[in-house]
Amino acid sequence: MNSDQEQETKILDFEEILQSEVFVDLERLRMLARHGIPDQLRGEVWKYLLGVQQADRSKELSSYKARREEYNQMDKIDTDLVKRVRGEVTRYQRKVQALQEADYIPMFENVILGYLNANRDVEYSPGMVSLCAPFIYFLEQECDAYFCFEKMMQALEEYNTTMSLKEQVARFMTLFRCGLPELCSYFEDEEVDLNEWTTSWLQNLLAKEMKFDNVVRLWDSYFAMNDPFSFHPFVCLSILLSAKEELEDLEQSEIRTMLLQLPFLNMEMVIADAYNFRHETIERQMNENEEY
């Protein structure tokens, strides 16, 4: 079976689940999504995986109407912030060709400002534009893009309350030293600021540093998982493994540039290696516990 036939089969498998008349089989949808979602179905699948759309098809229309009404009534105005959001969106669009195809700026402004006005305790950060972009691009309706973005941001906030960013960085540093000791030592020799890129990688789910196609493929797997944020550090480690040889040929400033603007990655390999890293870490921890 060639790649075109495989893709066609994949689309049919997803459509069979999505077109169910009574109930969308979420478990089967998650199993398929872990291996990537076809572009034309990604927005629809993400709505189910993030819990924006209910599995019960009889509630689909009423659920959408309720979302749309709620979104339409939201305050999406902030004269101080709008210029900052617009500036960041413009910078982001220069990097991502897919987002240059249409005028997405009003959607970005509405979704981000709507979210911030509804969550006054959350401060704006430029990284929100990168985190919002996949939803803006793949969701047909602006209100659905908003609620998917909100679900992900709330999940991130919740995870950050259980483990602070400082703790996440410290945990990742330990994984880095154990999993890739030679590369970690090389970074230290080159005096690479580990905190700078690690904080961004962990805080923004690699949305700022990765190529757009890589980000959305990674998120297909994340949204299908029960524990995407605890799995994320292993993905970060796996990316370093995939770029290890190239990184070891670079000097400090070149390393920094590469880590903040990652090349195109083989995501199937990156995700597979991340699972291996997690398995090895769990085994190592079990062995250490037995020794004590």
Side-chain angles (χ1 to χ4, degrees):
M1 188 183 290
N2 63 38
S3 58
D4 286 346
Q5 289 172 320
E6 284 179 11
Q7 184 69 0
E8 201 172 312
T9 302
K10 195 175 192 178
I11 290 169
L12 290 172
D13 288 342
F14 274 101
E15 285 180 339
E16 183 187 344
I17 299 170
L18 294 171
Q19 290 169 4
S20 166
E21 290 182 12
V22 182
F23 199 83
V24 172
D25 187 339
L26 292 181
E27 198 48 50
R28 197 163 155 234
L29 198 62
R30 287 190 190 99
M31 285 175 67
L32 286 179
R34 284 193 187 102
H35 304 286
I37 304 167
D39 286 351
Q40 60 268 53
L41 299 175
R42 181 169 279 120
E44 192 66 20
V45 174
W46 278 2
K47 280 191 289 183
Y48 286 105
L49 297 181
L50 288 165
V52 170
Q53 186 69 275
Q54 296 178 49
D56 185 346
R57 294 301 299 272
S58 67
K59 296 177 180 175
E60 192 172 306
L61 194 58
S62 60
S63 172
Y64 170 68
K65 283 181 178 176
R67 287 200 304 275
R68 188 179 60 191
E69 284 174 21
E70 183 183 345
Y71 182 67
N72 287 343
Q73 289 170 11
M74 280 183 175
D75 173 16
K76 307 179 192 74
I77 296 169
D78 188 317
T79 51
D80 294 328
L81 265 182
V82 71
K83 291 176 185 174
R84 291 172 64 191
V85 173
R86 193 174 299 159
E88 187 59 33
V89 172
T90 303
R91 280 188 289 276
Y92 180 82
Q93 283 183 308
R94 289 195 203 110
K95 294 192 303 180
V96 182
Q97 192 167 355
L99 272 293
Q100 295 170 10
E101 295 166 4
D103 182 13
Y104 291 104
I105 290 177
M107 289 178 71
F108 273 101
E109 291 173 1
N110 289 340
V111 169
I112 292 173
L113 295 178
Y115 174 74
L116 291 168
N117 286 336
N119 298 270
R120 296 286 182 182
D121 56 327
V122 178
E123 286 186 25
Y124 169 73
S125 74
M128 285 181 178
V129 170
S130 308
L131 289 166
C132 182
F135 302 118
I136 295 287
Y137 187 72
F138 284 105
L139 275 296
E140 286 184 17
Q141 302 297 326
E142 187 179 302
C143 71
D144 286 338
Y146 171 83
F147 284 106
C148 285
F149 175 66
E150 181 187 57
K151 284 279 187 183
M152 189 184 73
M153 292 299 290
Q154 286 174 343
L156 259 176
E157 288 287 325
E158 194 175 314
Y159 183 71
N160 289 337
T161 58
T162 62
M163 185 184 291
S164 71
L165 189 57
K166 193 176 179 181
E167 290 172 318
Q168 291 174 48
V169 169
R171 177 174 174 250
F172 178 73
M173 292 300 187
T174 303
L175 288 175
F176 188 19
R177 288 190 183 97
C178 293
L180 294 170
E182 291 175 6
L183 184 62
C184 186
S185 178
Y186 181 71
F187 277 13
E188 287 171 352
D189 290 345
E190 285 292 318
E191 298 183 347
V192 175
D193 183 353
L194 299 179
N195 204 57
E196 179 191 18
W197 59 271
T198 305
T199 301
S200 184
W201 280 25
L202 295 173
Q203 195 172 26
N204 299 301
L205 297 180
L206 292 160
K208 283 179 74 176
E209 295 81 15
M210 264 188 176
K211 300 294 185 193
F212 188 73
D213 288 350
N214 284 165
V215 172
V216 298
R217 170 61 192 91
L218 179 61
W219 287 11
D220 289 343
S221 292
Y222 280 4
F223 297 159
M225 291 179 183
N226 294 321
D227 59 344
F229 306 129
S230 61
F231 184 68
H232 183 63
F234 298 104
V235 170
C236 295
L237 200 59
S238 179
I239 289 168
L240 291 172
L241 174 65
S242 71
K244 180 175 181 289
E245 289 184 14
E246 193 174 345
L247 286 165
E248 287 176 342
D249 285 335
L250 302 177
E251 295 177 354
Q252 184 200 64
S253 62
E254 296 168 321
I255 292 170
R256 180 184 181 276
T257 299
M258 185 174 175
L259 293 174
L260 296 177
Q261 292 181 322
L262 290 166
F264 195 83
L265 300 163
N266 179 339
M267 290 312 298
E268 309 309 317
M269 191 181 293
V270 165
I271 292 167
D273 285 338
Y275 277 111
N276 291 336
F277 271 126
R278 183 168 72 171
H279 179 70
E280 288 167 11
T281 301
I282 292 168
E283 277 198 335
R284 187 168 60 246
Q285 288 170 344
M286 287 172 68
N287 291 335
E288 287 170 359
N289 290 339
E290 285 174 10
E291 286 173 13
Y292 288 112

